[in-house]
């Protein structure tokens, strides 16, 4: 009797993944395969289409025009991503701490730029920065920066960075905010009871705990930076010649495919860009795996670190009661405490409601 | 909103205004446009640039077919064009041609339309029977055998109806690949009040023009004689044509001559660069609200533009309205009469058409009958004819618009329309226009000379043409 290659139970599972697999095949695998296939041919106005093997790839790899765009988006990402994540983390912390009034309202306000389509956002910014009438241009002139041209070669990249930060900070903030919400509350409470200052709680407890989220955001934003397209394209439509053809790899691929009608070459460029992105993703995922392991380890040693800082004056203030003690026990079972692990000593006072302490903190 | 990108050779500037259209569309300011766009051709002007900005061809405007189109026996012809108000002529054609039913669609002005056509041709279906194609773009469709030779359909009968240069723009050897449509003869538009203030008379020669530019700028450092839009390739090429410095030779086939670095071309570049280096010229993107504001505020005292130019400037002309006049372009040789053309479209029949006979009949009627021109010469189309009977019509010569001055009627252009030499466009102008915006950008912001830009443009185009299999002469 031939043994079936799938157990009965697994065959049922196939039906569950079939819709996804079908979409994945149709919209990912087939187009990818077609792009690779296309990239192996070359169309010439004189002579038509012929098989040219890797020549589109060698042409791209040797093309400084292509690589200068890649370098530009790397520079873009190296500046934009850290700045944006710093801002996003700051505001996520503010909202997480509950120190701001109307937190929900302002979270929504911060999120709005992300809800605005990128094209509209870019058009809006273009109007604001427009060299002739833009209010920001006029402001710059009024402040003594004569002849400020936000679309000029020196300011163009900073302008795009600002636009992208504006668009994406809210989104990143929401993810970090959610991650912060999942930081075990008792750990923070422990630190509060120990009298740790706010900045230390944020930098030594919260930041390490949301590290996996940050690594994921760095990865997502890096991929986004490598694919930068909309903002340069819209800015170019406002100021002809402001954005060079090869400003970003995606923009160059688009120009090569549409304006220059060299779809084969564009396909090769797209494959190379995809390989770069996959490479970045792989590195990020490896970093993320390592990162989360490290984060866990770090989280475990947190209370130790906090305690250590307070131990300078003398006896380590080992928490005996309350959530701090629980946290210490849970997070760091190896920590030496005077309290034996096990049930809470009967002498402990009842736990203070969290919100009370939150107010004290604020 | 301005009729961006219509009837001109200017697809890039269509984009320049398109952002505004896009925002208006998105923010609902143009709600009326999108609401009524489905049934009338008039909003095409606002609708199509918006479509080009979002790179979506879906915002097409379909003209209601004529009354006779309900008959199923009529041959169906699909017609793509972006000129506003052209649907009026389509309706008139349908009413007088019961056997043919033409449907007009607007898939975008210039580039977006060409991309849509190219894609449809590749896909094998969905291409129009007839389309509006700018003169410079026509060779790209001829070389790929995408358009029909119209001689078998009686095109030669109309040859004498058109100015010779326009006819040669649509011909290769004995073959005729399109029926010429409108043109954009160039003129020297000037603010008469401003020139009078600086004691300048409209320059008759380019030497005088350069001297005037220096005079005006030294008298008022905040003002310029004119604006030099370096990234506007078609504009520069029109001026080069007038200087007999045309950088291409192409008469069909696989051999093309590219010459941006010859003595004539370099002398042309040198002429303008001298003024640019002395900061005697403004450097704003042409046909943009910024440029129009400079003209209206008296920062630019003149405008080297085309017969279609005023229809763009008019909505922005406020304080200077009434001061503008039009006269012939300055000449390289004193006493000369050399004109230049900037823009204009022709109407080819696509080879995939199932009904080339009827499609050709429509293209011929649209461009070579007084009945059609009586519609298309009026607003909102305002096409400038290559059709000789209309050019010779005294009533048309006397036609005025507020920006060419009441004392200088259309005659400046009707004269110019016949003194134009035919331009030989290479069959890769889309790529050339595409590259130009990057190559010439440095000239606008002063980081590069026009000569340097010409030199790098030469190498860019030569390597592209070679990669495309052409035999390239330089």
């Amino acid at each position: 009797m031939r043994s079936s290659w799938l157990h009965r139970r697994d065959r049922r599972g196939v039906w569950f993944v079939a819709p996804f697999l079908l979409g994945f095949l149709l919209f990912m695998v087939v187009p990818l395969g077609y792009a690779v296939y296309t990239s192996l041919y070359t169309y010439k106005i004189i002579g038509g289409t012929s098989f040219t093997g890797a020549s589109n790839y060698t042409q791209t790899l040797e093309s400084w025009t292509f690589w200068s765009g890649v370098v530009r988006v790397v520079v873009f990402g190296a500046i934009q991503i850290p700045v944006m994540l710093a801002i996003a983390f700051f505001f996520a912390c503010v909202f997480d701490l509950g120190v701001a009034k109307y937190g929900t309202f302002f979270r929504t306000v911060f999120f709005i730029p992300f809800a605005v389509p990128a094209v509209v956002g870019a058009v809006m910014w273009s109007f604001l920065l427009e060299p002739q009438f833009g209010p920001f241009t006029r402001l710059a002139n009024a402040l003594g920066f004569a002849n400020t041209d936000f679309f000029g070669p020196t300011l163009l990249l900073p302008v795009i960075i600002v636009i992208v930060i504006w668009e994406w900070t809210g989104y990143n903030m929401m993810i970090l905010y959610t991650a912060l919400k999942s930081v075990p509350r008792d750990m923070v409470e422990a630190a509060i009871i120990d009298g740790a200052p706010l900045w230390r709680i944020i930098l030594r407890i919260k930041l390490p705990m949301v590290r996996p989220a940050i690594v994921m955001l760095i990865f997502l934003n890096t991929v986004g930076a490598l694919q930068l397209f909309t903002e340069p394209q819209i800015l170019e439509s406002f100021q002809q010649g402001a954005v060079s053809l090869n400003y970003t790899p995606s923009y160059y691929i688009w120009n090569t495919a549409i304006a220059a009608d060299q779809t084969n070459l564009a396909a090769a460029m797209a494959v190379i860009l995809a390989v770069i992105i996959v490479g970045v993703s792989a590195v990020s995922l490896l970093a993320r795996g390592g990162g989360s392991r490290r984060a866990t380890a770090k989280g475990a040693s947190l209370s130790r670190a906090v305690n250590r800082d307070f131990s300078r004056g003398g006896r380590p203030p080992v928490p005996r009661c309350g959530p701090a003690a629980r946290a210490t026990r849970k997070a760091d079972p190896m920590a030496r405490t005077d309290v034996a692990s096990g049930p809470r000593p009967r002498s402990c006072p009842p736990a203070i409601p969290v919100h009370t302490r939150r107010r004290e903190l604020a | 909103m301005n009729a961006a990108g219509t009837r001109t050779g200017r697809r890039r500037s269509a984009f320049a205004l398109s952002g505004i259209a896009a925002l208006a569309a998105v923010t609902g300011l143009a709600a009326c446009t999108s609401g009524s766009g489905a049934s009338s051709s008039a909003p095409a002007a606002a609708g199509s640039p918006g479509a080009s900005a979002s790179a979506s061809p879906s915002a097409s405007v379909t003209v209601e077919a004529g009354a006779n189109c309900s008959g199923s026996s009529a041959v169906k012809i699909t017609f793509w064009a972006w000129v506003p108000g052209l649907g009026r002529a389509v309706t008139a054609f349908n009413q007088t041609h019961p056997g043919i039913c033409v449907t007009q669609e607007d898939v975008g002005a210039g580039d977006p339309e060409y991309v849509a056509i190219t894609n449809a041709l590749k896909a094998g279906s969905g291409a129009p029977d007839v389309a509006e194609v700018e003169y410079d773009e026509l060779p790209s469709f001829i070389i790929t055998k995408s358009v029909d030779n119209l001689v078998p359909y009686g095109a030669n009968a109309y040859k004498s109806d058109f100015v010779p240069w326009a006819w040669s723009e649509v011909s290769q050897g004995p073959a005729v690949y399109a029926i010429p449509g409108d043109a954009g003869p160039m003129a020297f538009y000037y603010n008469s009040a401003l020139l009078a203030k600086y004691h300048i008379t409209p320059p008759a020669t380019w030497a005088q023009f350069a001297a005037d530019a220096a005079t005006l700028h030294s008298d008022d450092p905040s003002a310029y004689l004119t604006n030099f839009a370096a990234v506007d390739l078609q504009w520069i090429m029109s001026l080069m044509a007038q200087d007999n410095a045309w950088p291409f030779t192409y008469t069909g086939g696989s051999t093309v001559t590219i010459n941006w670095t010859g003595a004539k071309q370099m002398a042309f570049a040198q002429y303008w660069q001298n003024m640019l280096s002395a900061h005697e010229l403004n450097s704003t993107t042409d046909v943009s609200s910024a440029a129009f504001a400079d003209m209206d505020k008296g920062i630019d005292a003149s405008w080297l533009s085309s017969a279609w130019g005023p229809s763009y400037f008019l909505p922005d002309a406020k304080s200077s309205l009434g001061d503008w006049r039009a006269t012939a372009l300055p000449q390289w040789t004193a006493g000369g009469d050399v004109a230049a053309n900037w823009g204009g479209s022709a109407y080819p029949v696509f080879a995939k058409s199932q009904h080339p006979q009827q499609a050709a009949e429509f293209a011929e009627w649209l461009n070579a009958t007084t009945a059609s021109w009586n519609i298309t010469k009026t607003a909102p189309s305002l096409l400038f004819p290559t059709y000789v009977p209309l050019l010779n019509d005294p009533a048309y010569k006397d036609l005025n618009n507020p920006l060419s001055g009441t004392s200088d009627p259309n005659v400046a252009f009707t004269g110019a329309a016949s003194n134009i030499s035919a331009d030989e466009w290479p069959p890769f102008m889309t790529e050339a226009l595409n590259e130009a915006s990057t190559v010439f950008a440095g000239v606008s912001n002063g980081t590069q000379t026009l000569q340097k830009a010409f030199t790098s443009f030469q190498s860019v185009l030569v390597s592209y043409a070679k990669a495309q299999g052409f035999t390239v002469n330089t």
Side-chain angles (χ1 to χ4, degrees):
Chain A
M1 196 180 83
R2 198 171 78 91
S3 69
S4 72
W5 60 283
L6 281 177
H7 296 294
R8 192 185 158 84
R9 201 171 29 175
D10 293 336
R11 271 206 303 276
R12 273 206 308 272
V14 168
W15 290 108
F16 283 99
V17 296
F20 166 78
L21 276 181
L22 188 71
F24 183 73
L25 267 176
L26 276 178
F27 301 114
M28 287 296 293
V29 177
V30 171
L32 268 175
Y34 187 68
V36 173
Y37 167 81
T38 308
S39 67
L40 301 176
Y41 289 79
T42 299
Y43 168 79
K44 291 182 175 185
I45 295 176
I46 306 296
T49 304
S50 58
F51 181 82
T52 48
S55 86
N56 286 324
Y57 289 93
T58 49
Q59 194 184 333
T60 305
L61 291 173
E62 289 166 359
S63 161
W64 175 239
T65 329
F66 178 78
W67 290 107
S68 65
V70 175
V71 168
R72 190 174 287 110
V73 289
V74 168
V75 171
F76 164 84
I79 301 168
Q80 181 257 331
I81 298 170
V83 172
M84 180 185 63
L85 286 180
I87 301 172
F89 183 72
F90 173 78
F91 283 105
C93 285
V94 168
F95 289 125
D96 177 56
L97 292 168
V99 291
K101 275 191 172 180
Y102 313 114
T104 320
F105 171 73
F106 282 109
R107 277 209 310 278
T108 315
V109 168
F110 275 63
F111 195 70
I112 282 176
F114 176 71
V116 172
V119 171
V120 179
V123 167
M124 217 170 70
W125 276 97
S126 299
F127 273 114
L128 290 173
L129 302 169
E130 204 274 330
Q132 202 80 18
F133 311 103
F136 284 5
T137 312
R138 290 182 175 191
L139 182 69
N141 287 335
L143 291 175
F145 299 97
N147 300 322
T148 304
D149 182 4
F150 287 113
F151 293 175
T154 40
L155 284 180
L156 187 64
L157 194 63
V159 158
I160 295 176
I161 288 175
V162 167
I163 297 175
V164 174
I165 287 178
W166 176 85
E167 280 171 345
W168 287 91
T169 301
Y171 172 80
N172 285 272
M173 184 201 76
M174 285 305 264
I175 289 181
L176 288 174
Y177 173 76
T178 316
L180 284 171
K181 278 285 163 224
S182 68
V183 172
R185 189 168 271 177
D186 44 9
M187 194 180 287
V188 178
E189 284 162 8
I192 292 167
I193 286 175
D194 292 344
L198 181 57
W199 64 269
R200 193 185 299 277
I201 294 172
I202 290 173
L203 291 183
R204 302 290 281 270
I205 301 179
K206 298 209 171 193
L207 185 61
M209 292 298 277
V210 299
R211 194 191 146 105
I214 290 177
V215 173
M216 182 196 71
L217 287 176
I218 291 175
F219 157 62
L220 287 178
N221 286 304
T222 306
V223 172
L226 287 169
Q227 295 178 338
L228 185 68
F229 176 80
T230 313
E231 290 78 12
Q233 205 240 351
I234 298 291
L235 290 182
E236 167 70 12
S237 68
F238 271 79
Q239 178 89 342
Q240 192 187 351
V243 179
S244 56
L245 283 181
N246 60 326
Y247 201 76
T248 76
S250 295
Y251 190 57
Y252 189 42
I253 290 168
W254 180 71
N255 273 311
T256 306
I258 304 295
D261 202 17
Q262 291 173 295
T263 37
N264 307 97
L265 182 60
M269 289 177 182
V271 170
I272 288 173
L273 181 63
V275 167
I276 295 172
I277 291 175
V278 166
V280 169
S281 311
V283 170
S284 305
L285 289 175
L286 287 175
R288 193 187 171 192
S292 53
R293 273 196 299 281
R294 273 197 301 279
T296 317
K298 200 157 186 177
S301 65
L302 266 177
S303 52
R304 225 184 354 240
V306 171
N307 287 342
R308 198 164 49 238
D309 283 321
F310 287 97
S311 66
R312 281 184 200 133
R315 193 173 69 86
V318 176
R320 293 167 183 274
C321 298
R326 282 203 304 279
T328 311
R329 285 196 296 274
K330 197 198 285 176
D332 195 357
M334 303 303 287
R336 195 178 57 79
T337 64
D338 296 338
V339 180
S341 54
R344 187 167 56 163
R346 246 174 259 125
S347 59
C348 281
I352 311 162
V354 172
H355 57 86
T356 321
R357 281 197 297 276
R358 176 82 60 76
R359 213 168 292 138
E360 285 162 7
L361 182 69
Chain B
M1 180 134 321
N2 221 326
T6 58
R7 71 200 175 278
T8 77
R10 314 179 34 74
R11 56 183 71 87
R12 278 291 186 161
S13 65
F15 290 171
L17 294 162
S18 66
I20 299 161
L23 185 74
V26 176
T27 54
L29 293 173
C32 57
T33 319
S34 50
S36 63
S39 60
S40 128
S41 65
S48 56
S52 73
S54 58
S56 153
S58 61
S60 70
V61 177
T62 304
V63 170
E64 294 285 306
N68 54 315
C69 281
S70 49
S72 57
S73 61
V75 170
K76 302 266 189 297
I77 297 293
T78 307
F79 170 47
W80 285 3
W82 63 82
V83 172
L86 209 55
R88 298 171 301 159
V90 172
T91 306
F93 176 83
N94 286 339
Q95 279 161 1
T96 51
H97 296 74
I100 307 173
C101 176
V102 180
T103 308
Q104 187 199 348
E105 289 169 17
D106 180 354
V107 301
D111 237 8
E113 191 206 78
Y114 309 140
V115 170
I117 292 176
T118 309
N119 288 346
L121 291 172
K122 272 183 197 157
S125 70
D129 298 284
V130 185
E132 173 180 4
V133 172
E134 287 158 291
Y135 295 114
D136 59 334
E137 203 67 32
L138 190 60
S140 302
F141 288 108
I142 296 175
I143 196 162
T144 51
K145 299 186 170 57
S146 306
V147 291
D148 273 334
N149 178 9
L150 299 180
V151 171
Y153 307 112
N156 274 332
Y158 302 95
K159 184 176 180 177
S160 57
D161 286 341
F162 291 95
V163 288
W165 70 266
W167 195 259
S168 81
E169 297 255 318
V170 298
S171 313
Q172 275 185 12
V176 177
Y177 288 103
I179 306 296
D182 66 316
M186 288 183 80
F188 177 75
Y189 292 92
Y190 62 98
N191 184 327
S192 56
L194 216 54
L195 285 197
K197 182 180 160 194
Y198 299 109
H199 310 292
I200 294 170
T201 51
T205 62
W206 286 110
Q208 185 59 45
F209 180 92
D212 291 345
T215 306
L216 196 151
H217 192 61
S218 67
D219 282 2
D220 181 357
S222 68
Y224 303 94
L225 179 57
T226 197
N227 180 51
F228 188 85
V231 288
D232 206 320
L233 181 67
Q234 287 158 316
W235 179 77
I236 287 186
M237 286 177 69
S238 298
L239 292 175
M240 291 173 81
Q242 200 227 0
D243 189 16
N244 195 24
W246 190 252
F248 296 106
T249 309
Y250 181 71
T251 51
S254 61
T255 304
V256 61
T257 301
I258 303 172
N259 187 7
W260 286 83
T261 47
K264 285 293 288 182
Q265 289 77 15
M266 280 292 144
F268 174 90
Q270 176 83 48
Y271 171 82
W272 287 101
Q273 186 57 48
N274 285 345
M275 282 183 274
L276 289 169
S277 300
H279 303 290
E280 292 162 5
L281 300 175
N282 200 354
S283 57
T284 313
T285 306
D286 199 7
V287 198
S288 66
S289 44
F292 293 145
D294 284 353
M295 283 154 64
D296 195 45
K297 285 188 291 191
I299 292 172
D300 295 343
S302 75
W303 189 28
L304 296 162
S305 190
S306 159
W308 47 257
S311 64
Y312 288 82
F313 178 30
L314 204 52
D316 288 324
K318 292 175 184 88
S319 57
S320 66
L321 196 62
D323 293 336
W324 288 91
R325 303 284 180 273
T327 189
L329 283 183
Q331 296 292 314
W332 290 100
T333 314
D337 191 14
V338 185
N341 180 64
W342 179 20
S345 296
Y347 294 82
V349 171
F350 285 89
K352 289 253 163 63
S353 172
Q354 300 291 310
H355 309 286
Q357 175 73 57
Q358 287 83 352
E361 191 180 339
F362 169 68
E364 287 157 4
W365 181 89
L366 180 69
N367 299 296
T369 63
T370 309
S372 170
W373 274 107
N374 280 341
I375 298 169
T376 54
K377 74 180 180 188
T378 62
S381 311
L382 287 172
L383 294 183
F384 189 91
T386 54
Y387 182 58
V388 173
L390 183 60
L391 285 171
N392 291 338
D393 181 358
Y396 187 74
K397 286 186 182 179
D398 287 342
L399 214 62
N400 280 313
N401 78 55
L403 285 176
S404 49
T406 45
S407 60
D408 286 302
N410 232 350
V411 68
F413 300 108
T414 52
S418 16
N419 294 331
I420 291 165
S421 56
D423 300 328
E424 290 179 2
W425 300 100
F428 41 78
M429 272 308 287
T430 311
E431 165 68 2
L433 288 164
N434 189 36
E435 293 282 355
S437 63
T438 294
V439 171
F440 287 86
V443 179
S444 298
N445 58 39
T447 56
Q448 196 189 31
T449 65
L450 195 57
Q451 293 95 309
K452 278 238 176 73
F454 273 25
T455 309
S456 47
F457 200 45
Q458 170 78 10
S459 69
V460 164
L461 289 182
V462 166
S463 60
Y464 177 83
K466 281 183 177 163
Q468 289 297 318
F470 286 93
T471 307
V472 182
N473 299 321
T474 55

